[in-house]
Amino acid sequence: MSVIPIVTESHQHVRDEELASLDRDRLVLSAEERRWGRRRVKTANGRELALALPTGTALTPGHVLYVGADYYVVMEAAEEPVLVVTPRSRDEAIRVAFEVGNRHFSVALDGDRLLVPDDVAMEQLLERLGVSWKRGRAVFTPIGAGHRHG
């Protein structure tokens, strides 16, 4: 029976030279999943980890999450369904971001586009605001922590 490593920090501070001889593995999670700090997860190569992170921790894509004797795990953001907003002006972008945040949803920046969760409430909001949007898939890295009422 193998021991499941317990991860208690969201970022291991290691030099590239320390990782050179180790196998690279990935933990790919959605934006919402990156906020769940206490649970078991499986890496892309099927290795199990137990997350026991401090309350309020959000995992950051690109960070080394775990370093073992023969492998290490890097945090990656999954592509996920989003609504892609293409504002016609800076003012429209600010208005959309305010309205999304006012409903306790998160927003992400992607160049000159705004990304919001693919949710019926967001779809209705964007229609009501009369902004240009479409469905898509993208890495969703929200600005700030955001929060939603369940």
Side-chain angles (χ1 to χ4, degrees), residues 3 7 16 24 33 38 44 48 52 59 64-65 69 98 106 145 149:
V3 175
V7 177
D16 289 341
R24 182 181 192 276
E33 292 169 330
R38 296 189 177 273
E48 276 195 272
L59 296 171
V64 174
L65 186 61
F98 172 81
S106 298
H149 297 276

Side-chain angles (χ1 to χ4, degrees), residues 98-124:
F98 172 81
E99 294 291 345
V100 168
N102 196 40
R103 284 154 183 80
H104 300 284
F105 280 80
S106 298
V107 65
L109 298 175
D110 183 34
D112 55 355
R113 306 180 318 166
L114 300 175
L115 306 177
V116 298
D118 188 343
D119 184 278
V120 68
M122 288 296 94
E123 185 178 339
Q124 291 169 350

Side-chain angles (χ1 to χ4, degrees), residues 4-22:
I4 297 173
I6 300 172
V7 177
T8 59
E9 296 179 57
S10 63
H11 185 198
Q12 296 293 311
H13 299 280
V14 292
R15 295 186 323 268
D16 289 341
E17 307 83 59
E18 296 175 62
L19 303 177
S21 65
L22 303 177

Side-chain angles (χ1 to χ4, degrees), residues 10 63 72 108:
S10 63
H63 282 180
Y72 67 100

Side-chain angles (χ1 to χ4, degrees), residues 30-59:
S30 70
E32 183 74 19
E33 292 169 330
R34 292 191 307 271
R35 294 176 43 189
W36 300 340
R38 296 189 177 273
R39 65 192 178 112
R40 282 190 178 188
V41 293
K42 274 199 179 180
T43 67
N45 292 337
R47 296 177 173 112
E48 276 195 272
L49 297 174
L51 301 181
L53 301 168
T55 301
T57 299
L59 296 171

